[in-house]
Amino acid sequence: MSSEKRMPRWAWQRRKEDLSDELEAHLRLAVADRVARGENPEAARVAALKEMGNVPLIADVTRRQWGWEWAEHLWQDLRYALRQLRKSPGYTVTALLTLTLAIGANTAIFGLMYSLLLRSLPVYRPDQLVQIKLRIGPAQSTHEPNAMVSGGIYDALVANQRVFSGMCSWAAWPLDLHDSDGTRRIPTARATGGCFEMLGVHPALGRLFSAVDDQPGGAPEGYPLVLGYDYWRTRFGADPHVLGRVLNFHSGFGGKETTGVIIGVMEPGFESINVGDRPWIYAPSEIGDKDDRHGLQSSDQTLLARLKDGVAPVTAQAQIDPLFGAKVKAEKYQYWTVSNGSFQRTSEAHLVVVPARTGFSFLREYYTKPLYLIGGMVGLSLLVACAYLATLAATRALARRRELALRIALGASRIRVIRQLCCESLLLALTGSLLGVFFAWISERALLRFITEPGSDPPALGTAPDGAVMLFTVGLLVVTVLLAGVGPAWRASRVDPVSDIKEGESSVLSRRGSRPGALLIPIQIGFSLTIVVIAALMASTVARLLAVDPGFRTSGVTFFHADFSPRSTDYKIPAPLILALLDRIRQFPGVESASISQAHHLQPAFYLQEAMSKTLSGETRKDDMLPSLSVTPQYFATLGIPIINGRDFTVGDKAGAPKVCILSRSAAEYFFPGQNALGATLQLQDGDKYKPTWVIGVVGDTLYSGFRDHARRILYQSYLSGDTWNSGGDVSVRATTTTAAVDAVRGAFHDLAPDVALDRPETMADLVSHSIGRERLLAVLSSFFGVLTLGLTAIGLYGLLSYAVVRRRPEIGVRMALGASPASVVRMILRDAVLLVLPGILLGAAGAWASTRLLGNLLFGVKPLDPAICAASVLLLAVAVALACVLPARRAASVQPMDALRRE
Amino acid sequence: MAKQSERYQNRIELLQGTLDMLILQSLQWGAQHGYGIAQTIRLKSSELLQVETGSLYPALHRLERQGWVTSEWKLTESRQRAKYYQITPLGREQLASDRARWESMVRAIASILENPQPEGGPA
């Protein structure tokens, strides 16, 4: 046995062989010694062996000196567990699938929650950051302060404050970049010069701009621009010579044609102070319109600051609020505020300083509650999965009672047996976690798609594997092993070697055995019922939202937002350009109608108009907040809104022509009750006076901002008459296919207005699904987990009942021999089931009651504890339970008394 | 299995310290293999002390793990492969301190045995 010829092996194996070589050498030396002393070789060998003792045992004891005994045992346990798992592939696959789904879903949801709600901004000392918000009205009002403030507030504070070591005003507003194939809107962060220094972020290449770079007009060669790391890699191929390149663009809303020069690339990891935002370019704040940047009126900035050491947010607020108050007073500025349903002006406003370790995100407002709900739900699912696995593990261990008893009788310690049993669940949980992490990675993308705004990229959330998320997954793993492994193993290891070996299988049948999972089943049923009720409520909400008639058609329309800033003067877009574009779009094949409007249906934002009328009875009717849409001819045809009376706008309704408007039916009925609104006069506020406007048409009522909206009074004005307040225009096209619409609009703009930036298309279907995105997200996930947990619970119950039938076979046999009918045996089994299910339903009712409190305003058209929904959920549960009972009950009823008794 | 290994461990326990010292001492005169060490101890003690193989090898491997001996495969005079153990400087220090402790213990025990009459005790 020459070791030189042996293949290279594991060091451990080599060492083991080395030891056995050594002991063999010892034996050879001893034999040789005895032979040299004149003994017969045969006798010498026997004597030497006898003197040496038990060689494998010596090797064992010696190996123990190496201090690796535990690893050796672990390896043995793992191999043993693998063998056990291979022996029951059905169990292994179910368990793995369950764990993958449960751990994966938990990881995905936690990843999303973590990156949206919990993660610190990736900047220097994020704990020192605060956000400055604006509260319009009295300081002690309980209204949530506005997160968006105006650039004028930054100006008021930056020079005179003494509480911050730095300040940063940040606005996300795109630049319209001109390049070889037209003009594109580039997501841009407009940051004040001191932002990057204050945040403590660094360039990956070149430099970042600083306070001196943030000047009106920029440097001679253009405004300094910093590229986002991903944008640099994807659009510039990570070109290191990108520095100094000049870009031509229009700075958007109220801005101008200008140039910028690339001075650096942002470090990877940092995107924005707005969590989920991923700007492609960082530009200095002065790049935009002067009034917009320095005035008090436009609230488009997020204002962050870094507290000086030892300054509390309250102290900072007390110092900066007077500075702001002085500015408002000096400029005699008045904020609009809505109180009791009408607009009022007030000069009272206050700044609020709040901690901003995690930055700021609009998404939080909408998704915090759903995410916590979903998080709780998938957490419950994991517990149900653990309970299910624990029940299975316990049943398996009971079936192996005899084997375990034999092991203990042969000298295995109880700890060792527990360790062996736990190894199985550890192996399962470990594999399940790995698969789960992969599943999470896939499902996170799907989740992000639910919360993506139409026409934009998914939010930059939770895409990178993160230490905290991994830690969470490991935590789940530990919990799983503890719940599904250690507990059952502990109980299973309590065997009495003598009686268990003697009785063998029959000990499984004896009545004294504990019933694994008898406690867990009610909990599983409770959790499942809770999730099923949530699922039913959310599904019914989605169904009811989709059943709402919005008053316009929800298919076939595609919207494009175009920024006409380069062509507009004073926010007015020339009518000839509009008409030419619409004409060209309509010529494309597949296009049925096209229109341009300012704002459109299914958008969260409104333009509001104050309007007044005199009714026949002489009463004055006023609406301070009448949603107003400016539209070109064909808007109603495109959206599919019926014209009830009168006519659509025409190209003749232009600037200089008599002012005309169209009203929704409710608006017509409100302003002109009991009369024909056509030809009537509506007074529209224009500055300080009212302008008479003739009503030329009445259209059907529609929703506006979403499906939870009610039919509103809406005012439509003629886009061509120049009643616009914004250089942006929304092109809407009804076409046979989305592709036809996209080709038509892209083609028309490419030919007639290549300098106008077009946003990506948003289809009506996208807008509809986004407007019910939260509800759909909850409905889909809760249905999925409802089915999963219900399935696991039913399988668990089935297993438990089947086991009970096997266990009670002799008893059933005796009962039947004494005259019990199969029906009464079935009743007995069902009574067992009901005893498990009833407490579960009570628990589920409590869970549903508590969790539906949280659903609150997410519901639509159903009450949190809708009787029909609750009844249906319980019914569904009952069906699942009944299915789980059928087979065991039948098996019990078919017990042959003689058979059962003979086995006893 | 567990019971048997306990029996072995009890023997190690009994000889612990002394066995380590005897092994180190027998390596003083040069590298030696396990069998040789056992023989040396047997011969030097005039066959009074028999080292069990089941105690010897765990002790050798323990000493090696402590860094008091090193091992290497070599050929014996009769051209057989055997694993030779060699004492290290650290092992020599250990031996010296073991020996000092042993000698003071022997002295202490001897003084008790040689003075069977305790002071002030009953005659």
Side-chain angles (χ1 to χ4, degrees):
Chain A
M1 191 154 138
S2 67
S3 62
E4 286 82 5
K5 277 192 197 155
R6 225 177 285 136
M7 297 286 285
R9 293 277 195 90
W10 292 69
W12 172 257
Q13 200 63 26
R14 265 211 313 272
R15 219 174 144 187
K16 256 171 98 170
E17 277 165 15
D18 191 76
L19 176 61
S20 69
D21 281 1
E22 186 177 8
L23 293 175
E24 220 170 288
H26 180 102
L27 188 64
R28 272 202 309 274
L29 287 168
V31 172
D33 215 16
R34 281 170 185 272
V35 170
R37 271 183 274 150
E39 282 183 37
N40 153 339
E42 269 311 298
R45 187 171 172 79
V46 172
L49 263 175
K50 198 173 166 201
E51 192 184 64
M52 208 169 158
N54 183 345
V55 175
L57 188 58
I58 296 171
D60 251 17
V61 176
T62 307
R63 273 211 303 279
R64 203 166 292 170
Q65 303 299 325
W66 299 348
W68 286 95
E69 196 191 10
W70 62 270
E72 208 183 346
H73 283 176
L74 184 69
W75 177 235
Q76 284 173 356
D77 290 349
L78 280 177
R79 274 199 331 221
Y80 172 73
L82 261 178
R83 267 204 308 277
Q84 291 295 335
L85 288 177
R86 257 210 311 265
K87 257 169 42 185
S88 39
Y91 164 75
T92 308
V93 168
T94 335
L96 268 187
L97 201 66
T98 310
L99 281 171
T100 303
L101 289 178
I103 292 182
N106 274 285
T107 304
I109 296 293
F110 178 76
L112 213 55
M113 270 169 77
Y114 176 74
S115 56
L116 181 60
L117 307 174
L118 307 173
R119 186 166 62 179
S120 302
L121 285 179
V123 301
Y124 172 74
R125 287 292 302 274
D127 55 303
Q128 292 178 332
L129 295 183
V130 289
Q131 184 176 5
I132 297 159
K133 296 186 177 181
L134 175 68
R135 174 172 283 147
I136 297 169
Q140 58 276 23
S141 105
T142 51
H143 272 295
E144 190 60 24
N146 297 344
M148 301 308 277
V149 300
S150 47
I153 297 180
Y154 171 81
D155 296 343
L157 303 184
V158 73
N160 299 314
Q161 60 80 20
R162 301 183 313 274
V163 285
F164 304 131
S165 60
M167 288 180 67
C168 168
S169 194
W170 186 283
W173 191 260
L175 287 175
D176 300 342
L177 185 72
H178 305 305
D179 61 15
S180 49
D181 48 307
T183 303
R184 266 186 302 177
R185 307 199 85 190
I186 304 292
T188 304
R190 298 159 183 232
T192 50
C195 272
F196 299 133
E197 203 187 326
M198 183 281 256
L199 292 171
V201 292
H202 307 281
L205 188 71
R207 66 181 183 93
L208 304 178
F209 54 78
S210 62
V212 289
D213 294 308
D214 191 13
Q215 301 296 339
E221 65 274 28
Y223 286 99
L225 301 178
V226 174
L227 299 181
Y229 188 78
D230 282 347
Y231 184 55
W232 173 61
R233 276 200 356 200
T234 53
R235 302 295 161 106
F236 292 86
D239 178 8
H241 305 296
V242 77
L243 302 183
R245 194 176 294 183
V246 173
L247 303 177
N248 295 307
F249 54 85
H250 188 281
S251 63
F253 190 79
K256 52 207 170 298
E257 289 295 339
T258 182
T259 59
V261 57
I262 298 170
I263 60 161
V265 175
M266 181 56 76
E267 63 182 336
F270 178 80
E271 308 274 7
S272 169
I273 62 170
N274 295 331
V275 176
D277 222 15
R278 183 183 285 145
W280 294 3
I281 290 181
Y282 302 86
S285 68
E286 296 285 358
I287 203 167
D289 177 51
K290 184 169 155 294
D291 291 342
D292 188 46
R293 162 66 185 80
H294 294 285
L296 282 173
Q297 69 280 11
S298 40
S299 295
D300 54 2
Q301 311 269 330
T302 309
L303 191 49
L304 287 198
R306 185 179 291 284
L307 288 173
K308 281 184 182 164
D309 269 339
V311 178
V314 191
T315 323
Q317 184 172 318
Q319 202 255 321
I320 60 170
D321 194 33
L323 297 176
F324 166 64
K327 168 125 175 171
V328 173
K329 206 165 177 187
E331 296 198 3
K332 296 196 172 63
Y333 189 77
Q334 289 196 306
Y335 284 98
W336 285 106
T337 169
V338 180
S339 98
N340 301 330
S342 70
F343 272 112
Q344 274 161 19
R345 313 205 75 167
T346 174
S347 55
E348 182 162 25
H350 297 276
L351 296 183
V352 180
V353 175
V354 294
R357 177 183 60 82
T358 57
F360 167 76
S361 175
F362 286 114
L363 292 169
R364 284 183 194 152
E365 199 181 315
Y366 295 103
Y367 290 106
T368 302
K369 206 160 97 176
L371 275 179
Y372 276 118
L373 259 169
I374 296 169
M377 214 159 56
V378 295
L380 287 187
S381 312
L382 179 71
L383 289 181
V384 170
C386 283
Y388 164 72
L389 292 177
T391 315
L392 273 187
T395 318
R396 272 164 65 79
L398 272 174
R400 268 160 51 191
R401 223 178 153 79
R402 192 177 187 185
E403 176 206 330
L404 296 183
L406 196 63
R407 278 167 188 275
I408 288 180
L410 284 179
S413 67
R414 191 168 167 203
I415 291 293
R416 188 70 203 279
V417 168
I418 291 177
R419 228 165 47 187
Q420 258 175 0
L421 290 176
C422 287
C423 245
E424 229 174 81
S425 38
L426 180 72
L427 214 58
L428 281 177
L430 205 64
T431 321
S433 301
L434 287 178
L435 291 173
V437 166
F438 180 66
F439 173 71
W441 183 72
I442 295 173
S443 53
E444 207 156 79
R445 270 154 191 71
L447 287 178
L448 282 177
R449 226 166 288 138
F450 270 101
I451 67 174
T452 302
E453 304 255 349
S456 47
D457 286 322
L461 291 174
T463 42
D466 196 288
V469 178
M470 288 297 144
L471 210 64
F472 177 80
T473 311
V474 171
L476 287 183
L477 179 84
V478 170
V479 168
T480 312
V481 171
L482 282 179
L483 289 183
V486 175
W490 176 257
R491 258 184 299 137
S493 66
R494 268 198 326 231
V495 291
D496 173 13
V498 179
S499 66
D500 277 312
I501 295 173
K502 218 160 49 190
E503 290 178 28
E505 289 300 305
S506 70
S507 76
V508 177
L509 309 180
S510 77
R511 297 193 63 181
R512 71 180 164 80
S514 68
R515 302 202 302 164
L519 263 176
L520 295 177
I521 290 285
I523 297 176
Q524 277 173 278
I525 290 178
F527 287 171
S528 315
L529 186 60
T530 307
I531 298 177
V532 167
V533 168
I534 294 177
L537 285 172
M538 288 320 297
S540 150
T541 292
V542 169
R544 276 166 212 236
L545 282 172
L546 286 177
V548 168
D549 174 17
F552 48 81
R553 284 169 63 190
T554 51
S555 60
V557 187
T558 311
F559 294 99
F560 303 78
H561 182 81
D563 184 2
F564 286 100
S565 298
R567 296 293 186 96
S568 60
T569 43
D570 204 14
Y571 306 129
K572 305 268 182 279
I573 304 155
L577 174 66
I578 298 295
L579 292 174
L581 279 170
L582 287 177
D583 263 353
R584 179 61 64 89
I585 292 170
R586 286 172 193 143
Q587 283 162 17
F588 274 83
V591 174
E592 289 163 22
S593 63
S595 151
I596 293 180
S597 59
Q598 179 172 264
H600 59 76
H601 286 81
L602 272 196
Q603 264 191 330
F606 292 112
Y607 286 91
L608 296 176
Q609 173 75 51
E610 195 178 324
M612 191 174 70
S613 72
K614 274 225 157 46
T615 63
L616 285 179
S617 56
E619 183 194 350
T620 302
R621 290 230 164 157
K622 229 176 121 176
D623 189 342
D624 274 359
M625 303 201 289
L626 185 63
S628 163
L629 280 167
S630 289
V631 303
T632 65
Q634 280 197 7
Y635 181 79
F636 302 111
T638 307
L639 277 266
I641 301 170
I643 296 176
I644 296 171
N645 221 337
R647 63 168 176 91
D648 190 3
F649 295 115
T650 64
V651 289
D653 297 321
K654 56 180 191 247
K659 272 189 76 74
V660 294
C661 71
I662 293 174
L663 293 178
S664 72
R665 189 212 293 259
S666 330
E669 280 167 7
Y670 172 78
F671 285 111
F672 307 105
Q675 73 181 93
N676 188 351
L678 279 192
T681 312
L682 188 66
Q683 304 286 342
L684 297 184
Q685 192 203 30
D686 182 20
D688 296 335
K689 52 187 191 304
Y690 282 91
K691 261 195 196 163
T693 310
W694 279 271
V695 180
I696 57 162
V698 176
V699 296
D701 272 332
T702 60
L703 307 178
Y704 186 94
S705 55
F707 282 82
R708 288 168 182 273
D709 207 2
H710 50 90
R712 286 175 181 270
R713 304 196 280 261
I714 298 177
L715 169 74
Y716 300 92
Q717 292 180 271
S718 175
Y719 193 84
L720 296 172
S721 70
D723 287 319
T724 53
W725 303 272
N726 187 327
S727 45
D730 293 304
V731 184
S732 47
V733 178
R734 173 169 292 281
T736 46
T737 63
T738 308
T739 329
V742 172
D743 290 345
V745 173
R746 289 252 164 87
F749 274 78
H750 183 264
D751 294 348
L752 301 174
D755 50 341
V756 171
L758 263 183
D759 270 354
R760 272 182 280 181
E762 312 167 9
T763 65
M764 187 60 115
D766 288 343
L767 290 171
V768 169
S769 65
H770 181 68
S771 78
I772 57 169
R774 283 195 301 177
E775 292 80 0
R776 243 169 21 118
L777 180 71
L778 269 170
V780 167
L781 288 177
S782 53
S783 304
F784 178 76
F785 286 105
V787 169
L788 181 73
T789 53
L790 203 58
L792 290 181
T793 306
I795 298 174
L797 183 64
Y798 163 76
L800 190 65
L801 291 175
S802 308
Y803 169 68
V805 169
V806 171
R807 199 162 50 83
R808 296 173 68 178
R809 225 176 129 96
E811 179 204 336
I812 295 170
V814 170
R815 279 168 188 270
M816 290 179 96
L818 291 179
S821 65
S824 71
V825 169
V826 168
R827 265 205 302 280
M828 188 177 83
I829 298 297
L830 289 186
R831 198 172 53 230
D832 264 15
V834 167
L835 282 180
L836 288 172
V837 172
L838 271 187
I841 288 183
L842 289 181
L843 193 68
W849 181 83
S851 57
T852 49
R853 301 291 98 184
L854 294 172
L855 283 175
N857 58 10
L858 281 167
L859 295 179
F860 179 81
V862 281
K863 291 208 180 59
L865 285 177
D866 187 281
I869 298 262
C870 290
S873 308
V874 173
L875 192 70
L876 184 66
L877 184 83
V879 169
V881 166
L883 282 177
C885 291
V886 168
L887 271 181
R890 275 184 52 179
R891 221 172 279 155
S894 64
V895 166
Q896 296 297 319
M898 280 326 288
D899 253 14
L901 290 175
R902 210 173 286 138
R903 287 184 63 170
E904 181 82 323
Chain B
M1 189 167 143
K3 302 237 164 77
Q4 252 182 312
S5 76
E6 262 163 41
R7 209 184 71 213
Y8 269 95
Q9 281 195 314
N10 283 345
R11 284 231 178 141
I12 299 167
E13 224 63 67
L14 273 176
L15 287 170
Q16 189 119 39
T18 9
L19 178 61
D20 287 7
M21 181 172 73
L22 292 180
I23 293 174
L24 289 175
Q25 174 66 28
S26 57
L27 289 177
Q28 278 276 64
W29 303 291
Q32 186 56 276
H33 47 70
Y35 180 73
I37 294 168
Q39 292 306 308
T40 311
I41 291 174
R42 197 164 63 96
L43 293 174
K44 296 250 169 184
S45 67
S46 321
E47 313 236 344
L48 271 175
L49 291 177
Q50 289 270 8
V51 184
E52 298 260 3
T53 328
S55 307
L56 175 67
Y57 283 96
L60 280 171
H61 283 248
R62 185 170 58 243
L63 292 176
E64 186 172 18
R65 193 165 160 227
Q66 306 271 22
W68 295 338
V69 301
T70 56
S71 68
E72 135 182 67
W73 284 93
K74 275 197 220 161
L75 288 181
T76 62
E77 291 135 34
S78 52
R79 320 273 318 147
Q80 303 233 43
R81 275 182 84 249
K83 200 172 188 185
Y84 277 77
Y85 290 85
Q86 179 137 31
I87 191 163
T88 63
L90 213 63
R92 283 180 205 283
E93 275 174 38
Q94 182 62 28
L95 176 61
S97 85
D98 276 359
R99 237 185 127 138
R101 229 185 32 231
W102 173 255
E103 273 159 12
S104 68
M105 184 144 91
V106 167
R107 268 200 306 280
I109 293 172
S111 73
I112 293 171
L113 296 177
E114 278 160 21
N115 276 323
Q117 211 142 355
E119 275 170 47

